[in-house]
């Protein structure tokens, strides 16, 4: 039983468009919500992360929106580029080393 | 720094065989973890360690053993491989207590097939 539910499973976006990936969780003890990016044949790499004391965090073209009351958080990729084509995982943890991952979203950016 | 290294990159086993997946990190991280990645299921925690000599079970520990004799190394042992253990295995490390230390650094993975 996955503790973090992620959607959609895959999405296709045109270059310059916005990609949005959503995640939901049940365990209110989670206090750290990272997003990982994974390219084929590689290990996941941290993209951006948020703590529940803020509602939004932006790093370049990537933004996390966090809704504590709804127990949901999402990743927005602005001005999507072909190099953003990858699999994205949301995750949550109570401490820093025991991550619970979502199932992943494969993003394809068409030029 | 090499970061997190894993060997081998690929491995094919027959049912019942044993093997050890190696993981090493050169960042002096206290925390190390093993995850398996299966299609449609994300990554699931197998075992983790908060320091040398200390290990504990994650979400899917059955069929796997670990030990942590040094800070650098965290091997994962399959005692009797089963087809259900066909997966991609990732080792990760992180360090607690420092600003910005939440990042888990992942190795490149080991792709294991059990026939």
């Amino acid at each position: 039983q996955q503790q973090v539910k992620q959607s959609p499973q895959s999405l296709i976006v045109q270059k310059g468009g916005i990609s949005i990936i959503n995640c939901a969780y049940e365990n209110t003890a989670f206090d750290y919500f990272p997003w990982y990016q994974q390219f084929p044949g590689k290990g996941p790499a941290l993209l951006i992360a948020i703590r529940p004391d803020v509602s939004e965090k932006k790093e370049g073209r990537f933004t996390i929106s966090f809704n504590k009351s709804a127990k949901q958080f999402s990743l927005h990729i602005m001005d999507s580029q072909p190099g953003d084509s990858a699999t994205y995982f949301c995750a949550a943890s109570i401490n820093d080393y025991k991550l619970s991952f979502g199932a992943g979203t494969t993003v394809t950016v068409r030029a | 720094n090499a970061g997190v290294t894993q060997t081998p990159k690929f491995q094919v086993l027959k049912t019942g065989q044993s093997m050890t997946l190696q993981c090493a990190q050169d960042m002096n991280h206290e925390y190390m973890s093993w995850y398996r990645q299966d299609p449609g299921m994300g990554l699931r925690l197998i075992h983790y360690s908060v320091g040398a000599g200390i290990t504990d079970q994650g979400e899917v520990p059955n069929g796997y053993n670990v030990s942590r004799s040094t800070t650098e190394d965290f091997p994962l042992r399959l005692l009797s491989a089963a087809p259900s253990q066909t997966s991609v295995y990732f080792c990760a490390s992180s360090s607690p207590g420092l600003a910005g230390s939440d990042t888990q650094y992942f190795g490149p993975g080991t792709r294991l097939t059990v026939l």
Side-chain angles (χ1 to χ4, degrees), chain A residues 95 97-101, chain B residues 32-37 41-49 56-62 64 74 90 92 104 106:
Chain A
N95 47 47
Y97 52 88
K98 291 175 62 178
L99 292 170
S100 294
F101 282 86
Chain B
M32 296 187 74
S33 307
W34 276 102
Y35 295 84
R36 59 176 289 173
Q37 183 176 19
M41 304 193 72
L43 290 87
R44 292 179 292 169
L45 182 64
I46 303 172
H47 285 286
Y48 65 95
S49 168
D56 205 346
Q57 297 181 350
E59 183 184 353
V60 287
N62 292 340
Y64 308 95
F74 191 42
F90 288 99
Q104 285 211 30
F106 283 81

Side-chain angles (χ1 to χ4, degrees), chain A residues 2 38 46 51 89 96-97, chain B residues 31 37 41-42 102-104:
Chain A
Q2 280 192 299
Q38 184 181 33
L46 181 69
R51 296 277 185 187
F89 293 95
D96 293 349
Y97 52 88
Chain B
Y31 296 161
Q37 183 176 19
M41 304 193 72
D102 306 301
T103 302
Q104 285 211 30

Side-chain angles (χ1 to χ4, degrees), chain A residues 1 4 6-7 9 16 27 34 43-44 47 51-53 55 60 65 76 79-82 86 89 102 106:
Chain A
Q1 180 182 358
V4 180
Q6 183 172 348
S7 63
Q9 185 176 0
N27 189 344
L47 184 64
R51 296 277 185 187
D53 53 346
S55 60
S65 296
H76 292 62
D79 187 26
S80 296
Q81 299 297 311
F89 293 95
T106 300

